[in-house]
Amino acid sequence: MTFVLDAPERSTIPVAVVAPPRGIVRAARFLVRSGPAHAVMIALSLAAVAPLMSLAITAFSPSSVAGGGTAGFTLDNFAYVFATIPMAEMMLDTTIMALAMTVAQLLVALFAAYAFALYEFRGKKLLYLLFVSSWLVPFQVTMIPNYVLVSQLGLLNTIAGVIVPNLCSAFAVIMLRQHVRAIPRELIDAASIDGRGSWATLWLVVVPNLRPALASLAVVLFISAWNDYTWPLIVMQQDPSVVQVGIRSFLGAEGNNWGAIMAASGLACLPVFALYLVLQRRIVDGFVRSGLK
């Protein structure tokens, strides 16, 4: 007796295939394509924010010794800073120093960039090359000659001694020269046809077109001057009247007062934040146009 197994008959009922929603598909594709990049950006953002969080936690911590704050909230560290050092006077002197350096560097850079970009004169390329070369010289090379110059001028332990060697910034000249060259030549020629001289063309045509670049450059120069520590430390050895040098008072052989250091550092950050908030729109515009990041 033999049994024969017949093949099962195929079902004639159509089977519906359920496709995933388009939103899920798009989200999956987004995660595959952009997930690693976003993970890296999140990690970098956390690394950038972590020091600020540490500063805030330590500054407002009740314990002000050895960076080991206890739970709680207090303003004692800020009160201790104002009671120990003349913080308000230091902030004022530092603001004057940073503003003076920023304004001077902007004016010198504006005049130099205007000349390098729009005028032809003998030795122009060589002079510009010297400007660029000075930007590449390390600070340690010019430190001693500048100190001798400031000493001979009698400017040691003064704010002027910090400002004078930093009246010109090669970086600012290079950056503004590129922006001036980007201004349409027709605007300059039209001003010349209207009878405008070089001085009037600079302030009525060039400067209005450079406002975003000048704003972004002003913030960069101000932050650079505000955060400079080494040169003020060298010049103002007997009169630490700037914030960067004054914070050093809380460092000692018996221990560092981290709470006071972080409180003073937080106060020192406020003028920079205020300047950024005021010029935020122009800064972003200037950075986008210049490619500076």
Side-chain angles (χ1 to χ4, degrees):
M1 186 173 183
T2 304
F3 295 95
V4 178
L5 297 177
D6 295 332
E9 295 182 356
R10 293 185 178 180
S11 176
T12 58
I13 302 175
V15 178
V17 178
V18 179
R22 292 184 178 180
I24 297 177
V25 174
R26 291 178 181 176
R29 290 178 179 174
F30 177 78
L31 289 176
V32 171
R33 294 176 181 176
S34 305
H38 280 76
V40 172
M41 294 301 296
I42 291 173
L44 293 176
S45 300
L46 293 177
V49 173
L52 297 178
M53 294 297 296
S54 176
L55 182 148
I57 293 173
T58 307
F60 291 103
S61 172
S63 176
S64 60
V65 179
T70 58
F73 177 85
T74 183
L75 297 177
D76 290 346
N77 291 323
F78 293 91
Y80 180 78
V81 168
F82 283 100
T84 306
I85 61 176
M87 190 66 185
E89 296 178 7
M90 287 182 176
M91 294 278 287
L92 179 61
D93 291 342
T94 309
T95 303
I96 294 173
M97 177 200 71
L99 283 177
M101 290 172 60
T102 303
V103 172
Q105 291 175 355
L106 279 179
L107 285 176
V108 173
L110 179 63
F111 296 150
Y114 183 57
F116 281 128
L118 300 180
Y119 289 91
E120 295 295 335
F121 52 90
R122 183 175 298 178
K124 172 184 173 181
K125 293 183 179 179
L126 176 61
L127 189 59
Y128 182 70
L129 181 62
L130 292 176
F131 261 100
V132 176
S133 302
S134 65
W135 184 40
L136 303 177
V137 176
F139 167 75
Q140 292 77 7
V141 176
T142 60
M143 178 177 63
I144 295 178
N146 284 336
Y147 182 82
V148 174
L149 174 63
V150 169
S151 178
Q152 292 176 347
L153 293 175
L155 298 178
L156 288 178
N157 298 308
T158 63
I159 297 294
V162 181
I163 297 173
V164 169
N166 296 293
L167 293 177
C168 177
S169 169
F171 167 74
V173 175
I174 296 170
M175 181 177 173
L176 280 187
R177 174 179 174 268
Q178 294 302 114
H179 283 279
V180 174
R181 294 184 65 181
I183 296 176
R185 186 70 189 187
E186 290 77 8
L187 292 177
I188 308 298
D189 295 338
S192 178
I193 293 173
D194 289 342
R196 305 290 184 183
S198 300
W199 187 255
T201 301
L202 172 63
W203 295 108
L204 298 178
V205 178
V206 175
V207 171
N209 285 279
L210 291 179
R211 284 177 181 171
L214 289 173
S216 58
L217 182 59
V219 172
V220 172
L221 296 176
F222 184 85
I223 294 175
S224 176
W226 185 273
N227 292 334
D228 190 11
Y229 174 76
T230 306
W231 180 244
L233 179 65
I234 295 173
V235 174
M236 310 192 70
Q237 297 179 2
Q238 300 177 1
D239 184 20
S241 59
V242 293
V243 174
Q244 297 82 354
V245 183
I247 295 176
R248 186 185 57 168
S249 304
F250 302 109
L251 300 175
E254 299 178 355
N256 301 328
N257 190 335
W258 291 107
I261 292 174
M262 294 302 175
S265 301
L267 292 172
C269 295
L270 294 180
V272 178
F273 286 146
L275 182 63
Y276 178 78
L277 290 177
V278 173
L279 300 176
Q280 181 181 8
R281 184 177 177 181
R282 296 187 182 279
I283 291 169
V284 173
D285 192 10
F287 284 171
V288 170
R289 291 188 182 185
S290 64
L292 183 65
K293 299 179 180 178

